[in-house]
Amino acid sequence: QKNQTEFIWVIRQLLFLQRVAEFVKKRNGIVVKTIGDEVMAIFQASTLPEDVLKCAIELIQGFDNFKLFQGGEKIEVKVSIDFGFTYNGSIIEAVTYDPIGTPVDRCARLNSITKNNEITFSQDFLSTMLTNSSEAELLSKYGYTSRLEDMKGIENTNVFSIFTSIKESQERVA
């Protein structure tokens, strides 16, 4: 029984990581590392911020529709997004780029307060999206909310979130 349970967990984990990588690649992102059941991806500066948000919505939608694992085995997804310059913190020769910097730290803290099927993002990411759209357009299209959070080591910070259902996700990505 233990071997069967572990086997199912490993298969589930590998399917999760592979599918996330596919969604990220589709939107021109790059998976830079996995940390247990978390995936860290980066997007080039030329990527439209809305494409990053659409990637997050597609992730939630894709796993909500994932027929292989449902009920108690359902794979739940949560996404946190930040924007900013990162540095190469690679200390291992085999790893070519290991991002470090404020966006990485802030994203980790965002992720710790993000619920299943929720996307959280920083003020910096919202500001970047506002270079191509008005706040009214973004609010109408994505229906995000704002809340003040005390994130360890980063003072009180405005956090923006979208708690999305499969139906809403399909409408927003279209």
Side-chain angles (χ1 to χ4, degrees):
Q1 181 68 17
K2 182 180 185 257
N3 286 342
Q4 183 180 11
T5 303
E6 187 172 336
F7 176 75
I8 291 170
W9 180 87
V10 168
I11 295 299
R12 202 170 162 262
Q13 185 78 355
L14 289 171
L15 285 169
F16 168 75
L17 296 172
Q18 181 62 42
R19 284 180 62 98
V20 170
E22 289 169 7
F23 282 109
V24 168
K25 184 177 181 184
K26 177 183 168 191
R27 293 287 180 175
N28 298 314
I30 301 164
V31 171
V32 291
K33 69 173 135 184
T34 61
I35 309 129
D37 64 353
E38 293 183 18
V39 174
M40 179 186 286
I42 59 173
F43 293 83
Q44 298 299 319
S46 60
T47 303
L48 293 174
E50 238 180 299
D51 283 343
V52 176
L53 186 57
K54 286 177 182 178
C55 180
I57 292 169
E58 289 167 350
L59 275 168
I60 291 173
Q61 174 186 343
F63 282 101
D64 211 24
N65 275 334
F66 197 36
K67 304 280 185 237
L68 189 56
F69 294 102
Q70 291 295 317
E73 296 295 321
K74 186 175 184 304
I75 297 173
E76 301 287 352
V77 179
K78 59 184 187 173
V79 180
S80 55
I81 307 170
D82 198 6
F83 175 83
F85 187 79
T86 60
Y87 303 89
N88 187 0
S90 179
I91 58 170
I92 301 169
E93 201 172 295
V95 178
T96 56
Y97 189 76
D98 186 6
I100 61 171
T102 301
V104 175
D105 292 347
R106 200 166 33 207
C107 218
R109 285 165 179 80
L110 281 170
N111 204 51
S112 72
I113 61 168
T114 303
K115 297 173 182 72
N116 289 339
N117 300 318
E118 182 181 34
I119 300 162
T120 56
F121 50 94
S122 68
Q123 178 68 55
D124 287 356
F125 182 74
L126 177 60
S127 296
T128 304
M129 285 202 312
L130 289 171
T131 61
N132 296 321
S133 302
S134 73
E135 189 158 14
E137 289 172 317
L138 291 175
L139 272 169
S140 170
K141 194 171 186 178
Y142 297 107
Y144 59 87
T145 60
S146 174
R147 66 183 188 262
L148 198 59
E149 289 280 348
D150 183 17
M151 294 195 290
K152 179 183 164 194
I154 306 184
E155 68 197 34
N156 285 339
T157 304
N158 272 330
V159 172
F160 302 88
S161 66
I162 299 170
F163 190 76
T164 187
S165 71
I166 183 69
K167 183 175 184 272
E168 292 169 341
S169 295
Q170 289 171 333
E171 291 168 359
R172 290 183 179 138
V173 172

